[in-house]
Amino acid sequence: LRADAIFLLGRFDAAGGAYEEALAAARQAGADSLMRRAEQAIPVAYYRLAESAVAEDSSRFERHATLFQQVATRWPRYEHAHLAQYRAGLAWSRAGQPREAGRALQAVCDSFPRCTYVRDAHLEIAKVWEADGEKEKSAAAYARFAGRFPRDTGAADAWLKAADLYTAAGKADQ
């Protein structure tokens, strides 16, 4: 495939497009094995694009978030979609976009509830809201973490943090 050659050259954006073209051609021709190959390769190319964007310029957080978000939302069954979603959330946070960060990290919890990043996503959500001055949202996130992971070594501290934040938000009754 032409797309494979482009991929090997490290031109991941062009490779992703070439794989998408190959998929369309394979569908039209009814070539099932080529369709499967292209379907598997497309998210890999775009994930590698996101990774290479981070390596190229680690300060372009919004670009990183957008690229990782694209992978997670367009190909949710891709084996690293959960990681792409988590990395999108972290990048949005670093870009100073707390609402986008909160949405992306919550998507990790909702869309990939059994993945290894759910625990950290819960804590990151709490930290994002706290840094943005959203005490009540942060408290709720810490409480969700503690409720979801009651045996975690950080659960007790999360309950205390939630209580402190609810009190600071004037919601001591929570």
Side-chain angles (χ1 to χ4, degrees):
L1 286 173
R2 180 177 138 260
D4 288 336
I6 297 169
F7 184 90
L8 291 173
L9 291 171
R11 296 177 44 222
F12 303 116
D13 193 21
Y19 283 123
E20 291 186 87
E21 289 174 17
L23 176 60
R27 280 191 179 134
Q28 203 168 40
D32 292 342
S33 62
L34 184 56
M35 281 189 332
R36 279 190 300 280
R37 169 77 175 96
E39 286 172 340
Q40 292 169 351
I42 292 168
V44 173
Y46 287 114
Y47 187 82
R48 291 290 305 274
L49 172 64
E51 287 184 320
S52 68
V54 173
E56 182 182 307
D57 183 350
S58 63
S59 66
R60 295 186 63 197
F61 302 120
E62 286 188 28
R63 174 168 163 69
H64 307 153
T66 300
L67 291 171
F68 281 118
Q69 189 74 54
Q70 174 190 21
V71 172
T73 56
R74 283 188 66 190
W75 302 283
R77 293 184 183 161
Y78 170 53
E79 67 179 313
H80 299 299
H82 63 287
L83 177 57
Q85 186 68 58
Y86 181 69
R87 290 184 74 178
L90 295 179
W92 283 123
S93 178
R94 290 185 182 113
Q97 300 288 331
R99 293 193 191 326
E100 291 297 326
R103 274 194 285 272
L105 291 163
Q106 188 60 52
V108 173
C109 301
D110 297 341
S111 300
F112 308 101
R114 292 184 183 91
C115 85
T116 57
Y117 298 98
V118 169
R119 176 198 176 279
D120 293 337
H122 277 284
L123 289 173
E124 288 297 327
I125 292 167
K127 292 174 187 176
V128 163
W129 291 131
E130 186 175 8
D132 195 42
E134 298 279 356
K135 293 179 177 78
E136 190 172 354
K137 286 182 179 181
S138 178
Y142 277 116
R144 275 193 306 277
F145 166 78
R148 172 89 192 272
F149 300 97
R151 292 189 176 102
D152 189 279
T153 58
D157 288 339
W159 280 122
L160 290 173
K161 185 75 169 175
D164 289 345
L165 286 164
Y166 274 131
T167 299
K171 304 281 185 171
D173 59 331
Q174 297 284 330

